[in-house]
Structures are given as structure tokens and as C-alpha cells.
Amino acid sequence: MEHVIEMLGIRKEFNGFVANDDITLQLQKGEIHALLGENGAGKSTLMNVLFGLYQPEQGEIRVHGKKVHITSPNRANDLGIGMVHQHFMLVDTFTVTENIILGMEPKSGGKIDIAKAEKEVKELSERYGLSVDPTAKIADISVGMQQRVEILKTLYRGAEIVIFDEPTAVLTPQEIRELIQIMRTLIKEGKSIILITHKLKEIMEVCDRVTVIRKGKGIGTVNVSETDPNHLASLMVGREVTFKTEKQEAHPKENVLEVRDLVVKDSRGIEAVRGLNLNVRAGEILGICGIDGNGQSELIEGITGLRKVEKGTVSINGKDITNFKPRKATETGLGHIPQDRHKHGLVLDFPIGENMVLQTYYHKPFSKNGVLNFKQIYKKATHLIEEFDVRTPDEYTPARALSGGNQQKAIIGREIDRDPDLLIAAQPTRGLDVGAIEFIHKRLIEQRDHGKAVLLISFELEEIINVSDRIAVIYEGEIVAIVDPKQTTEQELGLMMAGSKREAGEMNV
């Protein structure tokens, strides 16, 4: 079988930290090859070496059997290698076409021939079933559409080998199905794909072979047809992983969060939350499930003070906190794991140690008379990094240098350590591997068992059913049903999420 890419004995270091240690990966023509590993295992680093963003300290790369030096992404493009990054590299104020041709603009009479470019983009889009509007502005299209623009960018540059870095981390279930179809179309057209992921279900569905790396070392390559999710999970994390969340029966007590007749508008001024009622009790996890865009984000932002409440009330432990500023809201006993960890969870250029005290830095012992005590800050950070298994070279490393999963563990550690009465966890395991997911689910259940109220918002129905004690279905800004996870199925929840009503007698808000 012809190898289109061979990465042999690759080693990559950062200031003495070994991110890739003697890793070998061989990609066959016309296959979808998964690169599987925990958050921080070195998957993205290895692919950044292949794409020319990093230079390896040891090892060699061959393309179609010939040894090459990939000194930059432009050189990778010349060799037919394209990469769809996890965090998209797009200019928001440009159109789809302007983003795709950036750096390769077709000229006519010294001017950029935008009409020709739009025609080419439309043809490419149709050929691969991507259905993207070439004239739309990036700021106005969905995340799923932005990803398609990234795919088109690589195809426009003539990529024969496409690297996808965690492509489904930010997509809805429907967009994931569409992306899998797009990948299959690319393979039919003669492309070869490397898929960086830790979602075992996707690997089993779409990949031919899988190379596993653990803590920077290559564990081996297996045929997907000869393995199963349990075996892959144990290869990835080095131990058996339980997919079923272990938990005792809940013993809920009094209401901690009460939301009454809540109305919150979205950024366009349209009501996204419409007269919503909800309560979460001490000692329970209430899961909210719904299709993205049905008011979940606005609901969380309304409760936490990130968005103005137009009507209705939010109270914690009987105290009205409607339209409290975020800091004041958190001081009433609210913890918040935000759905966008980069925008609302971390200051990416600050060291991870300082991010650990973002909610408490103005209290003793972290500051006195407005002066920060860095010794105490980093002492606390070291303790949390150990307790929550945050994998980082040290506590002084900038937050942006950590993998997504380790950034998430840092936020969860910070919020849980404050011991809030109500913990809001929005997409807490988005983009995380099975080991990290298992760890986070345990922590949420621990909070519940300590008598805390937990509000879980997730697009993963399996997670909602596994972790929640009650499930609230949100549709068009209202809670349309509250169900017992033991008495429902993913199919039934899916129908309710799409607006199909349950029997009236089962509503129990």
C-alpha cells in the first residue's frame, strides 16, 4: 500500500519539555487515519510539525516516499498538505471568498478579480457538497459553516492530504453528521485525511486505521475493524475507562436556584428566553438539553449577570440576584464553568497560576490593601493543578499554551474550589477525551453529593442522560418538559428538542 505521508521517529521539545517522543505515523492513500490521544498527549504538536508550524529536533518526514523538510505552512501547501485548525484562522470582517483566497488572490489587470474567485469558490463548494455562500461575511455565518470555509481554503490551495484538528469539538450533532459526509466525499475524490480526535464513536464510524499516542509517546497503530471503543480508550489513557457514570440515588432538598418568568434577549434584540421557569435543588444535577440556539446561552448569561434580564427573576437561596453584575452574582454562591472557555473562562496570556485565582484574587491571602501576594497565588495554583490533574510544564505557563482539556480542568478546579451553592456547568466536557470526561463527571457528582445544586447544559444527550437526576428540555426559549433520565431515551429527547410535545401530565417544573 502506498504511503502518502510518513513521519518517522519524530521528536519535538519545548524548553526541555518533550511533547513528541520518537513518534511514527504512516498515512496510506485514500484512507481516513485517526490520531488518538488524551488532551495534551501531543497530537496537535505532531500535526503542527507536519504542517510546518514547528520544526522537529529529530526524525524525518517523507511525502510520497521522498524525504522533505517542511519549513513553513506555505511549503506544506506546496507539498499538497492542508490543515483545518481547531481554532479557525479566519478574518471575521472578510467574506468567505476573501478568506479563501487570502495570500493567493487571482489578479486581472493589477486588481484582485473577486468575481473570478467567487465563481471558483462556488464551483469547489458544489463539487464537495459544502454549500457555502461565497459572498457571506464570516461574522454572519455559523461555526459549522466557518469550518467549511477552512476546508475550502485547503482545497483551494490544492491539498491532497487534509489534517483535521479536533473538527467536531465545536459542532452540533447535526453538523457532525454533515462533516462526516464531507470527509467521505473528500476520500471519494482521491484525498487522504488525518483526523485528530478523542471521540471514539467517530473513529469507529468513519476511520480506517488509528494511531494512538499517550503522554507524547507512540503506543501503536491498529485497524479500526479489529478494535472496539473500550480497547481504544484503554490504549489512550493507559487504564480501563468506565463509560457509564457511577452514582448513587440523589436526595434533593430545598431549592437553591429559582428562575421565574425569565425573559432575555439575544444580541439582535430578539427574545431568546421567553417566560422561562426553572428550579434546581440542593443535592441534584438538573440537565438542560436542547438543540443549539434555543436560548441556552442567553439563559446562562441571564442567570450569571453576563446579559441583561428584561423580565422575571433569578434567585439563589431565596435571595433575588436578578441583573447582579457577574462578580456580585458569584459572591452570592454561584460558580460558573462557561461554555466558551477562551472568551469567558480564562485570560489566555496570563500564566495558568494567575487564572486559578481570577474569582478570588481580591480576597485575602491573595491580596492585601490592593497589592497582590504572588507567593500565595502560586501556592494555591500549585495545589489546584495537582488536585485537578492539570497537565502543564509549570504554573507560570501561559493559559493559551495548555491543551483545551487542561484549560477546562483549570477552570473546573477554580470554580469547584470556591465551593459554590450552585454550580453552572455549560458544555463542561466539550472537546475533551474520555479520561477527562470521566474525571469531570465524577467532580460534578461529588458536588451534588456534598449537597450542592448543579445545573448542567450540554449538547451531548448521552452525557445529559448519564449525569443528570432530572432533565429539562428547552425549546424556543421555554422549558417544554421535565423528565426522569431513567424513564427516557435519546430518541424521545430528540423529538422533544425538535418541538414535539410530551403528555401534559408529565410537565413538572
Side-chain angles (χ1 to χ4, degrees):
M1 192 75 184
E2 183 201 346
H3 287 131
V4 286
I5 294 284
E6 292 174 275
M7 301 184 80
L8 307 171
I10 299 295
R11 181 182 179 89
K12 179 66 201 156
E13 295 177 25
F14 298 98
N15 302 325
F17 173 74
V18 182
N20 293 153
D21 187 0
D22 189 25
I23 295 182
T24 291
L25 174 105
Q26 294 172 305
L27 174 69
Q28 294 171 355
K29 181 161 176 58
E31 77 166 336
I32 301 180
H33 192 119
L35 181 57
L36 174 68
E38 289 184 278
N39 300 107
K43 308 182 295 292
S44 296
T45 301
L46 186 68
M47 288 302 100
N48 284 333
V49 167
L50 180 57
F51 193 56
L53 286 163
Y54 298 148
Q55 302 307 305
E57 273 70 40
Q58 281 172 24
E60 67 176 60
I61 298 172
R62 292 182 191 160
V63 178
H64 298 294
K66 275 175 64 178
K67 185 176 175 180
V68 294
H69 292 286
I70 306 179
T71 48
S72 70
N74 285 341
R75 176 73 181 123
N77 286 332
D78 293 343
L79 292 163
I81 301 167
M83 186 163 179
V84 177
H85 297 271
Q86 185 178 359
H87 303 296
F88 306 147
M89 310 281 184
L90 299 170
V91 183
D92 273 3
T93 51
F94 281 16
T95 66
V96 165
T97 302
E98 287 164 349
N99 269 280
I100 289 168
I101 65 173
L102 201 57
M104 294 187 65
E105 297 86 350
K107 303 255 182 13
S108 172
K111 279 183 170 174
I112 294 173
D113 191 342
I114 205 78
K116 181 185 179 213
E118 281 175 0
K119 186 168 173 282
E120 286 173 355
V121 167
K122 193 170 191 298
E123 283 167 6
L124 257 185
S125 169
E126 282 167 4
R127 179 177 166 187
Y128 291 100
L130 289 158
S131 55
V132 172
D133 175 2
T135 62
K137 249 203 186 125
I138 294 296
D140 299 335
I141 61 175
S142 72
V143 171
M145 279 295 167
Q146 289 180 22
Q147 187 177 63
R148 292 176 182 204
V149 176
E150 284 281 17
I151 296 168
L152 278 170
K153 237 165 75 176
T154 69
L155 298 173
Y156 185 80
R157 284 158 175 71
E160 291 299 316
I161 294 130
V162 185
I163 304 161
F164 285 90
D165 187 358
E166 300 284 3
T168 61
V170 292
L171 302 186
T172 63
Q174 175 60 30
E175 287 170 333
I176 290 170
R177 282 193 292 277
E178 289 165 3
L179 176 68
I180 285 171
Q181 198 45 55
I182 289 163
M183 285 184 185
R184 290 188 172 133
T185 306
L186 290 170
I187 293 298
K188 272 194 204 126
E189 291 278 344
K191 311 292 184 195
S192 308
I193 292 173
I194 299 175
L195 172 64
I196 304 177
T197 186
H198 41 238
K199 291 196 175 175
L200 303 173
K201 208 161 37 174
E202 284 160 19
I203 290 176
M204 298 309 296
E205 186 179 345
V206 81
C207 296
D208 301 296
R209 292 190 304 148
V210 52
T211 293
V212 183
I213 61 178
R214 188 195 314 148
K215 293 185 179 171
K217 286 184 163 59
I219 301 298
T221 299
V222 294
N223 291 324
V224 169
S225 59
E226 294 165 9
T227 189
D228 61 56
N230 288 16
H231 180 230
L232 287 177
S234 60
L235 284 178
M236 175 167 84
V237 299
R239 60 177 171 81
E240 290 296 313
V241 176
T242 53
F243 289 93
K244 190 84 185 119
T245 312
E246 300 295 326
K247 63 176 202 240
Q248 303 299 315
E249 200 64 40
H251 299 289
K253 298 186 175 68
E254 69 288 348
N255 284 344
V256 173
L257 173 71
E258 288 184 74
V259 175
R260 289 287 164 262
D261 306 320
L262 200 70
V263 176
V264 184
K265 289 180 177 172
D266 66 14
S267 37
R268 297 164 302 170
I270 297 163
E271 284 186 6
V273 176
R274 306 173 182 175
L276 182 142
N277 289 293
L278 189 70
N279 63 53
V280 191
R281 298 169 295 188
E284 78 165 345
I285 297 174
L286 177 75
I288 292 189
C289 72
I291 296 164
D292 191 15
N294 275 270
Q296 296 96 315
S297 300
E298 290 79 6
L299 171 63
I300 302 160
E301 289 170 0
I303 294 170
T304 55
L306 289 167
R307 191 177 285 272
K308 184 177 172 237
V309 169
E310 303 293 329
K311 284 186 199 144
T313 59
V314 177
S315 56
I316 291 183
N317 294 327
K319 180 180 180 180
D320 187 341
I321 66 156
T322 315
N323 285 326
F324 272 27
K325 291 273 191 293
R327 179 186 284 187
K328 203 173 171 197
T330 58
E331 286 181 339
T332 60
L334 183 149
H336 180 205
I337 299 161
Q339 60 184 348
D340 187 333
R341 53 181 166 252
H342 288 172
K343 205 179 200 173
H344 293 131
L346 299 162
V347 181
L348 291 171
D349 291 321
F350 278 20
I352 194 64
E354 290 175 33
N355 273 281
M356 292 298 212
V357 296
L358 281 183
Q359 299 273 38
T360 47
Y361 67 88
Y362 52 92
H363 291 310
K364 285 179 179 173
F366 308 124
S367 68
K368 190 177 176 186
N369 303 327
V371 179
L372 292 173
N373 182 335
F374 286 102
K375 189 179 172 192
Q376 289 296 332
I377 286 170
Y378 282 103
K379 186 178 167 191
K380 179 69 173 178
T382 309
H383 165 70
L384 288 178
I385 284 165
E386 270 176 36
E387 188 185 342
F388 287 84
D389 188 31
V390 180
R391 295 182 194 172
T392 172
D394 56 40
E395 58 272 34
Y396 304 102
T397 301
R400 72 166 68 250
L402 272 63
S403 72
N406 285 301
Q407 290 174 347
Q408 190 73 340
K409 283 183 188 173
I411 294 168
I412 286 166
R414 178 183 75 208
E415 296 303 313
I416 286 179
D417 182 67
R418 290 176 44 245
D419 201 26
D421 295 328
L422 169 71
L423 179 64
I424 297 176
Q427 315 294 352
T429 60
R430 177 185 266 179
L432 303 195
D433 62 70
V434 285
I437 290 170
E438 183 188 48
F439 177 87
I440 285 162
H441 287 172
K442 272 185 184 157
R443 290 300 188 150
L444 294 179
I445 290 159
E446 261 172 37
Q447 286 300 102
R448 177 203 82 165
D449 292 345
H450 290 156
K452 307 297 182 181
V454 180
L455 180 62
L456 169 68
I457 298 95
S458 174
F459 295 136
E460 302 284 345
L461 288 185
E462 203 179 324
E463 174 169 65
I464 287 282
I465 291 171
N466 254 334
V467 180
S468 309
D469 301 306
R470 287 190 302 149
I471 299 172
V473 182
I474 191 168
Y475 176 69
E476 293 190 344
E478 294 177 59
I479 301 297
V480 292
I482 291 208
V483 297
D484 182 337
K486 295 195 282 294
Q487 313 281 313
T488 190
T489 62
E490 287 192 27
Q491 287 72 19
E492 188 183 36
L493 286 175
L495 282 170
M496 287 189 278
M497 283 158 55
S500 139
K501 292 274 192 285
R502 250 197 167 198
E503 296 303 310
E506 301 201 31
M507 273 290 285
N508 170 29
V509 180

